[in-house]
Amino acid sequence: MPIAHDSDPSLTEYAHPERLVTTAWLSENLGTPGLVVVESDEDILLYDTGHIPGAVKIDWHTELNDPVTRDYVDGEGFAKLLSSKGISRDTTVVIYGDKSNWWAAYALWVFTLFGHPDVRLLNGGRALWEAEGRELTTDKVEIDAAEYPVIERQDAPIRAFKDEVLAHIGQPMIDVRSPQEYTGERTHMPAYPEEGALRGGHIPGAQSVPWARAAAEDGRFKSRADLEAIYTGEKGLQPTDDVIAYCRIGERSSHTWFVLTHLLGFDKVRNYDGSWTEWGNAVRVPIVKGESPEGTIAA
Amino acid sequence: MTTPRIDDLPPRLAAIVEEFQELDKPQRLELLLEFSQGLPPLPSRYEEHPELLEPVPECQSPIFVVSEVEPREGDDPQVRVYFRAPREAPTTRGFAGILAEGVDGLSAAQVSALPDDVCARLGLEEAVSPLRLRGMTGMLRRIKRQVAERSVAA
């Protein structure tokens, strides 16, 4: 039984409001059969310090990635993982997390690779839930294992690989990293691990829109008008454009992928998860430095 | 998996490694959470002068570390280590908590002799991922460097 969408007026302006729920909606719907709430954070222990009652944890590092190859889990791995979390194919999944849902959006994107039909984000994420004084608990969650079918991953519609990005140069691309990473001043995020990129700069033609510009101060998404002012106004993208977004390892660009696809209704947005840790190390791919998309100094 | 060496570690650090090794993966995370909750507060002299602390950019969350080398009469100088790590970064706080318990109070010579792979002996790679664990190695590396610099100065 699908669970009714959140009809809150704050969501109806978006292209696909069924992909979001408000904190109030989630409070009212906690415990509804057929709903599983998933917490997905950058910090693997944050869930254990207190989580939304009944929520299960999915960790991007240790559970969504293949342990050997740089890739996501395959259909069997995903089926095993979701079954163990009590999720079936017809479960309504609501994902929330820290840092304006940055990792939650990443998890949602991976769920989308497997075409999970009903997966939604909690608008505002963990921070808003906490700020509103809503309940968090350290109680252990009893999970009734489910039977998730083995579904073949469909990468093509929403995932871009290096060769596709190379062929895409000249078409719309969004670099969602910090301005310093974009210009080539640094190869990693301020205060973040140096994930080993040998070269700094950006892919020729990519426009810079740091992912957090889509988030309001309370962690919710900005209004549709504000988002349009950035992506279609300032950057001149069209909802019919073929767009590739990238960052450092594909997490921040999942957030932008969500914004363009589900909030603004773009038809074809792909996330290049190899991102800068691949491009910045690849031999002979074009890189430019500086503030303009075309770059000022060829690297 | 072979049990990692502990005979080249100071007693408290050896005990921590043993404690982790006795647990299964989910329990190791619980123990890490306990260390995160047990991280001693930053002394007020550093609260007032955060510029004296060194950032650890290998960590995913903002964390700062400072080491002091205190001369002792008739003995090796003693090392004190202090950390500042946010509550919403329990994994990073947990790493700091382990180092606070295992390293604080050692002599400068003991700190410089700590094996560089000590963080890898806790059995946390699989539980928290090697990438996250790099942050802990980054903290230890900074402590060792600070102690070496301050020992020369002392």
Side-chain angles (χ1 to χ4, degrees):
Chain A
M1 253 296 274
I3 296 173
H5 296 133
D6 185 352
S7 54
D8 190 273
S10 70
L11 307 180
T12 48
E13 63 172 9
Y14 296 119
H16 300 291
E18 72 278 9
R19 292 295 176 185
L20 282 177
V21 302
T22 57
T23 49
W25 182 93
L26 187 58
S27 278
E28 283 162 25
N29 283 277
L30 281 182
T32 306
L35 171 73
V36 172
V37 182
V38 170
E39 176 160 345
S40 204
D41 297 316
E42 175 174 272
D43 191 302
I44 192 172
L45 282 177
L46 197 53
Y47 168 92
D48 303 87
T49 67
H51 52 80
I52 293 179
V56 298
K57 167 164 79 169
I58 291 187
D59 181 57
W60 62 282
H61 254 310
T62 57
E63 294 182 312
L64 294 177
N65 285 305
D66 182 279
V68 180
T69 309
R70 184 171 172 191
D71 200 357
Y72 301 101
V73 290
D74 61 10
E76 279 175 21
F78 192 70
K80 199 172 150 210
L81 175 69
L82 266 63
S83 300
S84 76
K85 305 291 178 184
I87 298 171
S88 334
R89 193 69 176 163
D90 59 358
T91 300
T92 294
V93 177
V94 172
I95 310 182
Y96 73 99
D98 60 352
K99 310 210 166 197
S100 306
N101 274 333
W102 150 5
W103 302 94
Y106 191 34
L108 184 142
W109 180 77
V110 175
F111 272 61
T112 308
L113 291 174
F114 293 95
H116 188 84
D118 189 2
V119 55
R120 317 178 189 180
L121 274 190
L122 173 65
N123 199 14
R126 186 182 163 99
L128 184 64
W129 183 273
E130 250 187 306
E132 290 173 344
R134 298 183 190 272
E135 188 185 355
L136 292 174
T137 175
T138 53
D139 290 350
K140 282 250 185 316
V141 176
E142 297 292 332
I143 301 174
D144 293 325
E147 280 286 326
Y148 200 89
V150 175
I151 306 283
E152 200 189 332
R153 215 177 60 212
Q154 294 290 334
D155 289 334
I158 61 166
R159 186 178 185 197
F161 294 97
K162 190 183 107 219
D163 291 346
E164 293 163 345
V165 176
L166 200 54
H168 193 81
I169 290 176
Q171 294 179 72
M173 259 193 271
I174 297 286
D175 182 320
V176 314
R177 297 172 301 157
S178 62
Q180 296 89 338
E181 291 170 281
Y182 180 81
T183 59
E185 203 179 306
R186 56 167 86 226
T187 53
H188 62 97
M189 275 179 86
Y192 263 67
E194 303 217 26
E195 279 165 344
L198 290 171
R199 291 288 188 267
H202 58 267
I203 301 175
Q207 304 204 67
S208 169
V209 188
W211 72 279
R213 288 189 66 191
E217 289 215 345
D218 63 3
R220 289 190 293 179
F221 291 104
K222 283 186 180 159
S223 70
R224 183 162 185 171
D226 287 351
L227 294 173
E228 280 171 346
I230 298 169
Y231 297 97
T232 53
E234 188 185 315
K235 300 299 172 187
L237 297 177
Q238 295 303 319
T240 49
D241 281 349
D242 181 355
V243 183
I244 290 179
Y246 70 92
C247 59
R248 182 184 48 125
I249 55 171
E251 16 60 288
R252 285 172 282 174
S253 43
S254 299
H255 190 272
T256 299
W257 167 84
F258 185 89
V259 168
L260 294 176
T261 303
H262 292 314
L263 305 186
L264 296 182
F266 277 52
D267 305 325
K268 190 171 186 193
V269 184
R270 283 174 292 164
N271 180 22
Y272 169 38
D273 59 280
S275 276
W276 204 256
T277 50
E278 179 177 45
W279 198 270
N281 286 318
V283 175
R284 262 195 173 174
V285 296
I287 293 175
V288 291
K289 284 178 176 277
E291 286 169 16
S292 81
E294 295 72 31
T296 44
I297 318 154
Chain B
M1 267 279 206
T2 49
T3 316
R5 255 183 97 168
I6 51 165
D7 61 344
D8 57 345
L9 298 178
R12 265 187 296 152
L13 212 44
I16 294 172
V17 171
E18 270 190 315
E19 209 180 338
F20 272 100
Q21 288 296 336
E22 281 165 11
L23 302 172
D24 64 18
K25 205 167 86 177
Q27 289 175 320
R28 285 178 194 180
L29 281 183
E30 281 171 28
L31 182 59
L32 187 61
L33 187 59
E34 282 173 32
F35 274 107
S36 133
Q37 288 153 349
L39 180 69
L42 193 66
S44 58
R45 63 182 184 281
Y46 287 119
E47 286 289 0
E48 289 150 20
H49 290 283
E51 74 282 2
L52 297 174
L53 281 81
E54 180 176 342
V56 185
E58 291 91 337
C59 287
Q60 292 184 331
S61 303
I63 175 153
F64 296 85
V65 61
V66 62
S67 328
E68 295 175 352
V69 178
E70 292 173 357
R72 285 185 294 196
E73 221 163 294
D75 205 347
D76 275 346
Q78 188 184 37
V79 171
R80 306 301 313 267
V81 288
Y82 305 104
F83 299 90
R84 192 178 72 180
R87 293 245 157 238
E88 61 275 13
T91 301
T92 303
R93 275 183 71 87
F95 295 156
I98 291 170
L99 292 173
E101 186 169 318
V103 175
D104 185 49
L106 295 179
S107 74
Q110 281 176 308
V111 170
S112 66
L114 286 175
D116 288 327
D117 70 342
V118 59
C119 306
R121 300 189 197 182
L122 299 163
L124 284 169
E125 275 102 340
E126 252 189 81
V128 306
S129 90
L131 185 63
R132 287 178 172 129
L133 205 59
R134 275 165 63 172
M136 187 178 183
T137 307
M139 287 182 215
L140 180 62
R141 215 183 284 149
R142 276 173 176 69
I143 292 169
K144 289 177 76 171
R145 205 206 60 238
Q146 289 176 356
V147 168
E149 287 169 0
R150 281 154 211 184
S151 300
V152 172

